[in-house]
Amino acid sequence: LEVFFVAHDPTQLNRQGPDRGTQYRSAIFFHSEAQKAKVEAFFKAQAGNFSSPIVTEINPYGAYWVAEEYHQDYYESHPYNPYIANVSKPKVEKVKKVFADIIKPEF
């Protein structure tokens, strides 16, 4: 959950940076009531760290669809893509910096 909150802005409704629409909504999917309770407690503890309310949805896990093949490893395969360079890479670098002590060396 900590990484999730560093990697994106949980206060943006149906948006992440320049991307807008319901497909960009922030959501966490739980498998059990215990997981749901942990997420809710984390949200409550983090609420004071943001100037806007946390709007990340908390939903029960349901169906999961694997992305099409051309989406697989997109970040690694397209490092010079303008979106990757300007939007994704800064987020990845932020996570690497904040969590340097727990990230595997190969990353």
Side-chain angles (χ1 to χ4, degrees), residues 70-85:
Y70 67 90
H71 287 296
Q72 304 301 322
D73 301 314
Y74 195 86
Y75 179 86
E76 292 84 4
S77 300
H78 301 88
Y80 302 108
N81 173 287
Y83 186 89
I84 297 297

Side-chain angles (χ1 to χ4, degrees), residues 33-47:
E33 289 301 314
Q35 285 182 341
K36 180 181 180 184
K38 285 183 181 181
V39 171
E40 291 171 338
F42 184 80
F43 279 27
K44 187 174 181 180
Q46 293 297 311

Side-chain angles (χ1 to χ4, degrees), residues 1 5 10 18 23 35-36 42 62 69 72 80 88 91 98:
L1 291 169
F5 271 40
Q23 69 271 33
Q35 285 182 341
K36 180 181 180 184
F42 184 80
E69 186 60 36
Q72 304 301 322
Y80 302 108
S88 300
K91 291 181 181 188
V98 172

Side-chain angles (χ1 to χ4, degrees), residues 4-45:
F4 185 67
F5 271 40
V6 167
H8 85 296
D9 184 347
T11 69
Q12 293 185 338
L13 182 62
N14 296 331
R15 178 178 176 203
Q16 284 301 307
D19 301 312
R20 296 172 187 247
T22 56
Q23 69 271 33
Y24 296 105
R25 69 190 176 280
S26 176
I28 293 177
F29 300 91
F30 61 88
H31 290 265
S32 67
E33 289 301 314
Q35 285 182 341
K36 180 181 180 184
K38 285 183 181 181
V39 171
E40 291 171 338
F42 184 80
F43 279 27
K44 187 174 181 180

Side-chain angles (χ1 to χ4, degrees), residues 57-73:
E57 296 178 5
I58 304 171
N59 298 317
Y61 172 81
Y64 176 82
W65 293 273
V66 175
E68 295 85 356
E69 186 60 36
Y70 67 90
H71 287 296
Q72 304 301 322
D73 301 314

